[in-house]
Amino acid sequence: MNAIISASDLASALAGGNPPVLLDVRWQLSVAKAAGEPPFDGRAAYLAGHLPGAVFVDLDRELAGTAGAAGRHPLPDLAEFGAAMRRAGVSAARPVVVYDGGQGWAAARAWWLLRWTGHPDVRVLDGGLTAWEGPLSTDVPPPAEGDFAPDPAAAGLLDADGAAALARSGVLFDARAGERYRGDVEPIDRVGGHIPGAVSAPTHDNVGPDGRFLPAEELGARFKALGATDGTEVGVYCGSGVSGAHEVLALAVAGIPAALYVGSWSEWSSDPSRPVAVGPDPQ
């Protein structure tokens, strides 16, 4: 099953006999703002206009736990996550399509969580809301209660120790911008740099100027050139497990399975005992 869906294919699916549940997960990374500038409000953006029938899902409250030692966006409590998905109308027998404002990070986080917890049919709208050419709605639908019950997979999830080990035994991609990987700047976390052995693979290189994923063949060639050759175990991390989910999605488009270190750099760098590498060299 393809992990992404085009806007035209989504329009056809919505007109079919078993239309997908639509989840709107608009979100932006919270970085220190100038005084007086309000933070991005995903719910307000949703209320101003969304795909007809879509239900808003709050990334910070429903797709992540409370920020702390485990990172800025740790795994949510799975019982609470399952309840949130059921409230949104998610059922095991009905496909799900997730979208955000166009960057794809938040939608990928929802896609990864649903897939990791056992939903069999989840896709991300390629290009997000900006790719949609149909009408938008301001109606807030009352979705019928779903029946989705999270059943996490044994594979697909890394902790700090697992990420460190994978950087030595396989390939661990760092999905952040190159300057954060090198430690040139660090606008959010305690210290800059990367997990020793990790390979820089910025998420923004997985998409074209329109925000849509590059063709599967190009993505496959990119990741293989970075070390994801046949038989190599692959993992991904980022700042807090959001843009990293987008890289896992890009790898899935290329046909390469990968695990996600959800705690990512926000967890790793919070512990002064963990080693930090700086500069362009993985080590």
Side-chain angles (χ1 to χ4, degrees):
M1 184 191 73
N2 200 346
I4 58 175
I5 185 171
S6 68
S8 59
D9 285 348
L10 175 57
S12 297
L14 290 171
N18 186 30
V21 173
L22 290 176
L23 303 181
D24 182 312
V25 197
R26 272 179 276 183
W27 171 88
Q28 289 182 11
L29 179 66
S30 295
V31 182
K33 302 280 187 177
E37 183 179 348
F40 177 78
D41 187 336
R43 185 176 293 278
Y46 164 82
L47 293 173
H50 51 265
L51 268 64
V55 177
F56 179 72
V57 172
D58 190 309
L59 185 148
D60 290 315
R61 293 178 174 85
E62 297 174 313
L63 304 181
T66 302
R72 283 192 306 280
H73 292 104
L75 284 176
D77 176 89
L78 291 183
E80 294 178 6
F81 169 67
M85 293 299 98
R86 290 190 293 274
R87 287 195 302 271
V90 175
S91 292
R94 189 174 172 191
V96 177
V97 171
V98 192
Y99 71 90
D100 56 25
Q103 188 178 42
W105 293 5
R109 171 71 175 223
W111 166 85
W112 179 83
L113 265 172
L114 282 165
R115 292 292 292 149
W116 177 66
T117 54
H119 198 288
D121 190 350
V122 189
R123 287 178 286 179
V124 170
L125 175 58
D126 194 16
L129 186 66
T130 57
W132 181 253
E133 296 181 352
L136 299 179
S137 173
T138 56
D139 294 337
V140 178
E145 183 83 3
D147 65 11
F148 179 67
D151 183 16
L157 177 68
L158 294 171
D159 60 11
D161 290 341
L166 186 57
R168 297 188 297 270
S169 65
V171 60
L172 180 66
F173 289 137
D174 184 318
R176 298 172 301 159
E179 58 267 25
R180 292 186 68 192
Y181 170 87
R182 295 188 299 271
D184 299 343
V185 298
E186 182 43 64
I188 307 173
D189 293 311
R190 184 185 67 84
V191 65
H194 57 269
I195 296 173
V199 175
S200 180
T203 293
H204 61 69
D205 289 340
N206 296 325
V207 298
D210 59 0
R212 301 181 192 181
F213 282 102
L214 299 176
E217 296 78 8
E218 291 185 32
L219 289 172
R222 179 195 184 214
F223 291 124
K224 286 181 180 178
L226 291 171
T229 54
D230 293 343
T232 301
E233 189 177 357
V234 179
V236 180
Y237 76 96
C238 57
S240 64
V242 179
S243 67
H246 189 271
E247 186 119 299
V248 174
L249 176 59
L251 284 153
V253 171
I256 302 170
L260 178 65
Y261 172 26
V262 174
S264 285
W265 189 248
S266 60
E267 178 187 36
W268 182 276
S269 63
S270 69
D271 184 346
S273 71
R274 294 194 183 107
V276 171
V278 296
D281 188 281
Q283 303 301 330

